[in-house]
Amino acid sequence: VPIEDRGVFRGFFNGPQGSTPEYVRSYAADVERVLGSVPEIEKYFVISGVGSGNGAFFAGFLKPWEERE
């Protein structure tokens, strides 16, 4: 494990079994709002409907160390 972070993170979440695509998209939108509110994140993406359709994947790329607080 590197001593310093590499400036990238990723995550995944699953909705309850039988979740509708709209349900998953609403939670994916919440994740997107949170990611967009963090000034140290340079760019990010969220993909809903992965896995069996009730999951979402997200990843973010941090600004260089010298630009973070």
Side-chain angles (χ1 to χ4, degrees):
V1 177
I3 295 173
E4 295 182 353
D5 70 66
R6 296 181 185 247
V8 177
F9 63 90
R10 59 191 174 274
F12 183 84
F13 70 85
N14 282 321
Q17 186 174 356
S19 300
T20 64
E22 293 78 20
Y23 178 91
V24 175
R25 275 196 298 273
S26 74
Y27 278 93
D30 290 343
V31 170
E32 194 167 359
R33 275 191 289 283
V34 170
L35 295 175
S37 72
V38 178
E40 290 81 11
I41 298 176
E42 187 167 53
K43 49 190 162 178
Y44 60 88
F45 65 89
V46 180
I47 303 171
S48 63
V50 299
S52 60
N54 67 338
F57 174 80
F58 58 92
F61 305 90
L62 302 175
K63 293 179 179 179
W65 272 100
E66 58 275 1
E67 295 179 29
R68 299 188 219 167
E69 290 189 27

